[in-house]
Amino acid sequence: MKLSAALLAGMLLPTVLTAPAFAADPESCKTVRMAQPGWNDLLLTHSIASVILKELGYEAENSLLGLNVIFTSLEQKNLDVYLGFWDPAMAQDYGRFRDEGIVDTVGVNLEGAKYTFAAPTYVWEAGLKDVHDLHKYADKFDRKMYGIEPGSNQPMLDMIADPDFKLDGWEVVESSEQGMLTQVERAIRRKEWILFQGWAPHPMNDKYDFKYLTGGDEFYGPDFGAATVSTVVRKGYQEECPNVTHLLKNLKFDVVMENKGIGYLTEDDMEPDEAAAKIIAENAGKLDAWLDGVETVDGKPGLPVVKAGLGL
């Protein structure tokens, strides 16, 4: 017996309307465990990811941990995602996790970054342009160089240990990113000599008058520590949670965007999610690419849901 098209459609319609929604990821992927070491650029990018994931219906955890703990936790599968593998700055100490397949690289999320030794412009103009000359000015620096969190200053420690630099008796003052920048601001205000870790993206590049020094290629990489930043995940996560992984592959940032967003954290004292939501709103055009092919936790198209949730 032949059925008319209208009758056939009428028979099929209830099935279509009542078909169950299929989740984009299994239930085990609903909580996304991330961590960052307290660097404001990584706090911003992890917060951007958190805001988007929450709008998609996921539970996003964003812990503060030391770098060694982050990579060990990824290896032990106690963390899922880290968006902050600075290459080559982290390669010496943490490259084995990537190279031995202990973690999987999802992709590069930032190009144009840099990270190396820095000093105020008046120090540079007084003659210190290359870190190989540091020993000549030991007394002016009080044999100190300023770093950030313990575990993040290995290039400085390696340079002091290298006899070619003649830095016997020097020490690295470790505190935090904000602690280091407080010292930098105080030193510049007083026209004192200070050596510190500088990097971009960061609003320090606009706020302080300083120069990146040559000679640190062995420790930070060439071209003033020119770097890329990659997203890595624990082994097997890409296969287990393909929808979150698809979002992570799409998330690409730029230096200008991050400089401004970090400023919301450091200058305007915004909460991380507030700063992230604001910078997303100011760069709403990026959502089309970020959410291309990404679904909500219950399988709906992600782009309109995120835009509606953020009032865009």
Side-chain angles (χ1 to χ4, degrees):
M1 179 178 66
K2 290 185 178 180
L3 298 175
S4 70
L7 179 60
L8 183 61
M11 295 174 65
L12 292 177
L13 185 57
T15 302
V16 173
L17 291 177
T18 59
F22 292 94
D25 277 336
E27 184 68 22
S28 59
C29 298
K30 187 171 182 180
T31 298
V32 183
R33 301 169 300 173
M34 301 183 290
Q36 42 78 32
W39 305 357
N40 280 316
D41 60 312
L42 300 185
L43 175 57
L44 177 70
T45 55
H46 282 78
S47 297
I48 289 172
S50 293
V51 166
I52 293 173
L53 285 166
K54 289 173 185 175
E55 294 298 338
L56 292 170
Y58 290 88
E59 300 289 335
E61 297 177 355
N62 192 4
S63 303
L64 174 64
L65 299 172
L67 283 174
N68 57 332
V69 179
I70 288 174
F71 282 96
T72 300
S73 297
L74 287 167
E75 180 177 18
Q76 296 175 348
K77 298 191 175 183
N78 294 321
L79 281 180
D80 302 313
V81 178
Y82 176 54
L83 289 86
F85 191 103
W86 276 70
D87 195 10
M90 290 183 184
Q92 180 174 345
D93 297 298
Y94 303 104
R96 73 174 185 87
F97 289 87
R98 174 195 59 194
D99 300 339
E100 296 174 11
I102 298 171
V103 300
D104 291 331
T105 302
V106 171
V108 173
N109 64 56
L110 180 69
E111 297 181 336
K114 58 184 174 182
Y115 182 40
T116 194
F117 299 104
T121 297
Y122 54 81
V123 171
W124 187 85
E125 290 174 342
L128 179 64
K129 296 178 172 62
D130 189 290
V131 291
H132 287 86
D133 294 328
L134 265 177
H135 66 280
K136 300 177 182 177
Y137 304 97
D139 291 339
K140 286 184 174 293
F141 286 108
D142 196 25
R143 288 179 170 79
K144 292 178 182 178
M145 52 185 73
Y146 287 81
I148 46 179
E149 295 81 9
S152 302
N153 305 303
Q154 198 59 45
M156 287 184 158
L157 296 169
D158 289 343
M159 186 172 73
I160 290 174
D162 188 333
D164 290 343
F165 286 86
K166 305 173 185 176
L167 297 176
D168 291 343
W170 282 65
E171 65 173 305
V172 177
V173 180
E174 298 183 309
S175 57
S176 65
E177 177 185 321
Q178 192 54 50
M180 182 195 75
L181 292 175
T182 297
Q183 291 288 340
V184 170
E185 184 168 354
R186 181 182 297 119
I188 290 177
R189 188 170 62 247
R190 298 173 178 175
K191 294 293 183 181
E192 296 172 348
W193 285 46
I194 186 169
L195 182 80
F196 61 97
Q197 292 198 96
W199 65 88
H202 197 281
M204 73 171 82
N205 294 276
D206 299 321
K207 185 174 182 180
Y208 305 121
D209 186 9
F210 70 90
K211 300 285 189 183
Y212 292 99
L213 305 181
T214 58
D217 291 8
E218 178 183 348
F219 307 103
Y220 289 101
D223 193 20
F224 298 98
T228 59
V229 183
S230 295
T231 300
V232 298
V233 296
R234 63 173 172 81
K235 191 71 174 176
Y237 187 77
Q238 297 181 92
E239 294 76 23
E240 295 171 28
C241 306
N243 188 57
V244 175
T245 299
H246 194 73
L247 170 65
L248 296 174
K249 287 181 177 179
N250 288 351
L251 278 179
K252 309 289 183 184
F253 310 106
D254 62 69
V255 171
V256 173
M257 173 188 180
E258 288 197 30
N259 278 345
K260 191 170 184 181
I262 296 166
Y264 294 146
L265 294 171
T266 61
E267 306 299 321
D268 298 337
D269 295 323
M270 289 187 181
E271 292 298 318
D273 282 3
E274 181 186 8
K278 183 174 177 63
I279 202 66
I280 290 171
E282 292 174 352
N283 294 268
K286 291 184 180 293
L287 287 173
D288 292 339
W290 287 353
L291 292 164
D292 182 29
V294 176
E295 300 177 348
T296 64
V297 75
D298 56 356
K300 298 183 179 70
L303 181 61
V305 172
V306 172
K307 282 188 170 181
L310 295 176
L312 302 175

